[in-house]
Amino acid sequence: MAKEIQVPTLGESVTEGTIGEWLKKPGDAVAVDEPIVSLETDKVAVEVPSPVAGVIKELKAEEGDTVEVGAVIAIVEEGAAPAAKGDEAARAYEQREDGKEKREADKAAPASAAAKEQARDSAQTLSPAVRRAVLEHGVDPSTIEGTGKDGRLTKEDVVAAAEAKKKGSAGGSIGDAAPDQAATASTPSASSDGGEGAGGERREERVKMTRMRQTIARRLKGAQEEAALLTTFNDCDMSAVIEARTKYKDLFAKKHDIRLGFMGFFAKAACLALKDVPSANAYIEGDEIVYHDYVDISVAVSAPNGLVVPVIRDADKKGFARIEKDIADFGARAKDGKLTMEDMKGGTFTISNGGVFGSLMSTPIINPPQSAVLGLHRIEDRAVVVDGEIVVRPMMYLALSYDHRLIDGREAVTALKIIKEAIEDPTRMLIDL
């Protein structure tokens, strides 16, 4: 019996998505609830599972196609799949790949019969895109730790493993470059004097923007065009926070089972500022200003497909431990592609930490319809004057970008000053000053 696979409801106000990657191809066996396709929406990537066990009969859309909610995208022939089906499909696929009948993994004999069986089973469950990457890069999939759902290998896992292997064989000549940077660095190109480099020529690659990247570009450009953006800066002595973390980090981790980070301090400091400057926690809707008596902080998190901003709900009512756990959970799920639309819905204020990437100073762009965003940067020792003496302190530049249509300069400076003072004297957060 044939079963139609439809595009599921993707979230409030989301009516369509883009086929990001087919995880199964016609002829592949599929189990109940096994993902068969990855759909990209404006904010997240969603894996669509099969509601029945059977064999993929037909795919109704290509990778990159835009599909509406409810559209039929695949047909599954319900029923148990022949045991050898996966093996035959895999062998046929490998034989089509430029005469490469076997992967690198097949050349290395497993240490035991059990290891051999495990490697064979792993090969059978590789998605077409991952299998192709394994063949192209010549890596052993059984030695790679998967970061996908249920530990499944992704194409990014294979590429990262190949680049790590390449770096090792090259003696680390590429250094700490990211996988895509490393690949670029290892590609022969024209020399600086205009002549061709040995062994190759300069190349270009055109890659269609993901749906998420298109949405990010559109929203950020829209924020610049609609809002009256302005940024105010201040610097902050991090000595007190660093001392508090050093003193209590072990006790904190033991009691709450989470590391005490900097974001918890800044989230609570922001809550103090937003309470005293409510316009920074509001937004414009038509000819009205919407104020909030709660603080939902959007935290900018780096994900494989771009920057996402999951929301810490009621941050003003949560303690340090709960905030740190929320942030850690968001980071882990963003890496695995498991954030949901609900995770990113709403938000009244945003904190973006460019310091983790080494940024010294920046002018962050607000996250519409919000009216303000706090930018954090790297901590570095600098010479400052304290009580008439030149001393060295761990300093951080803070940036508050805001919509000048709603927030006056005095209010923006006041809000940032409150955050600075709370970080430099964390006791203020305990006694609500």
Side-chain angles (χ1 to χ4, degrees):
M1 179 178 177
K3 178 70 175 179
E4 294 182 341
I5 308 300
Q6 297 179 324
V7 178
T9 301
L10 301 171
E12 183 180 352
S13 75
V14 179
T15 60
E16 61 184 22
T18 301
I19 302 292
E21 178 186 0
W22 282 107
L23 307 177
K24 295 288 184 178
K25 66 180 186 297
D28 282 354
V30 62
V32 176
D33 293 331
E34 184 178 3
I36 64 172
V37 64
S38 175
L39 284 177
E40 295 178 356
T41 69
D42 290 349
K43 295 184 177 180
V44 294
V46 180
E47 289 186 338
V48 179
S50 173
V52 297
V55 176
I56 301 295
K57 181 179 179 180
E58 182 182 0
L59 303 182
K60 295 282 191 177
E62 300 289 338
E63 292 183 359
D65 286 354
T66 297
V67 290
E68 296 183 353
V69 171
V72 177
I73 54 175
I75 304 293
V76 175
E77 191 66 38
E78 191 172 355
K85 187 73 177 179
D87 290 340
E88 293 173 0
R91 284 197 295 271
Y93 180 84
E94 291 166 6
Q95 290 171 357
R96 290 197 300 269
E97 292 297 311
D98 300 327
K100 297 180 180 178
E101 292 82 4
K102 293 185 179 181
R103 297 181 297 278
E104 184 80 9
D106 297 334
K107 299 178 182 178
S112 64
K116 181 182 293 184
E117 184 68 19
Q118 182 178 4
R120 185 176 66 84
D121 291 342
S122 297
Q124 290 177 350
T125 59
L126 298 181
S127 70
V130 173
R131 189 180 298 119
R132 185 183 302 113
V134 166
L135 291 168
E136 290 176 352
H137 294 283
V139 296
D140 182 353
S142 65
T143 64
I144 306 172
E145 183 177 354
T147 62
K149 185 176 182 180
D150 300 325
R152 181 169 52 84
L153 281 182
T154 66
K155 182 168 64 175
E156 290 73 18
D157 296 331
V158 175
V159 173
E163 293 301 334
K165 179 179 178 182
K166 186 185 300 182
K167 291 178 185 178
S169 62
S173 59
I174 297 177
D176 295 327
D180 55 341
Q181 293 172 325
T184 302
S186 62
T187 302
S189 60
S191 59
S192 59
D193 61 1
E196 288 191 356
E201 15 177 270
R202 303 198 313 169
R203 287 181 283 181
E204 293 181 350
E205 181 181 6
R206 290 181 180 269
V207 179
K208 185 177 180 180
M209 293 173 67
T210 65
R211 190 179 188 88
M212 183 185 297
R213 176 52 60 185
Q214 292 178 46
T215 301
I216 291 172
R218 184 174 62 253
R219 284 172 60 85
L220 292 180
K221 186 59 180 175
Q224 286 185 318
E225 292 176 347
E226 182 174 348
L229 292 179
L230 189 62
T231 303
T232 183
F233 297 94
N234 213 321
D235 59 358
C236 180
D237 186 345
M238 297 292 292
S239 299
V241 167
I242 292 174
E243 182 181 352
R245 290 183 70 226
T246 302
K247 184 176 181 179
Y248 296 111
K249 65 179 181 180
D250 293 336
L251 288 174
F252 188 88
K254 183 177 180 180
K255 180 176 181 178
H256 300 291
D257 194 29
I258 189 69
R259 186 178 68 90
L260 179 59
F262 290 118
M263 285 295 289
F265 287 94
F266 279 102
K268 296 304 290 183
C271 290
L272 285 181
L274 299 178
K275 179 180 178 181
D276 285 357
V277 186
S279 60
N281 195 43
Y283 59 78
I284 295 175
E285 189 174 88
D287 58 357
E288 297 179 332
I289 299 174
V290 181
Y291 291 96
H292 306 92
D293 66 352
Y294 55 87
V295 179
D296 286 352
I297 296 182
S298 303
V299 182
V301 176
S302 181
N305 292 331
L307 195 69
V308 293
V309 279
V311 180
I312 303 173
R313 311 287 176 189
D314 296 314
D316 53 322
K317 298 180 178 64
K318 292 181 176 178
F320 281 79
R322 185 66 263 170
I323 290 174
E324 292 291 355
K325 286 181 179 179
D326 285 352
I327 293 172
D329 175 60
F330 289 148
R333 290 196 287 134
K335 179 180 178 182
D336 295 339
K338 295 180 180 179
L339 287 175
T340 66
M341 298 291 291
E342 188 63 27
D343 291 326
M344 288 174 281
K345 180 181 178 182
T348 61
F349 183 80
T350 294
I351 298 179
S352 178
N353 186 6
V356 296
F357 305 110
S359 172
L360 175 64
M361 187 179 293
S362 67
T363 55
I365 301 176
I366 62 173
N367 178 26
Q370 297 172 22
S371 297
V373 53
L374 175 66
L376 309 182
H377 302 91
R378 75 170 185 253
I379 302 171
E380 64 176 9
D381 288 340
R382 291 203 297 270
V384 296
V385 178
V386 178
D387 297 330
E389 299 287 337
I390 298 178
V391 295
V392 176
R393 290 285 190 268
M395 304 296 293
M396 176 194 287
Y397 286 118
L398 306 178
L400 184 72
S401 290
Y402 58 98
D403 187 348
H404 212 341
R405 297 178 303 164
L406 173 59
I407 304 171
D408 294 332
R410 176 182 61 83
E411 293 175 312
V413 172
T414 299
L416 191 58
K417 187 170 179 286
I418 292 173
I419 294 173
K420 166 187 168 70
E421 291 173 345
I423 294 298
E424 293 184 338
D425 183 8
T427 305
R428 288 173 173 266
M429 300 183 213
L430 300 178
I431 59 178
D432 195 15
L433 282 180

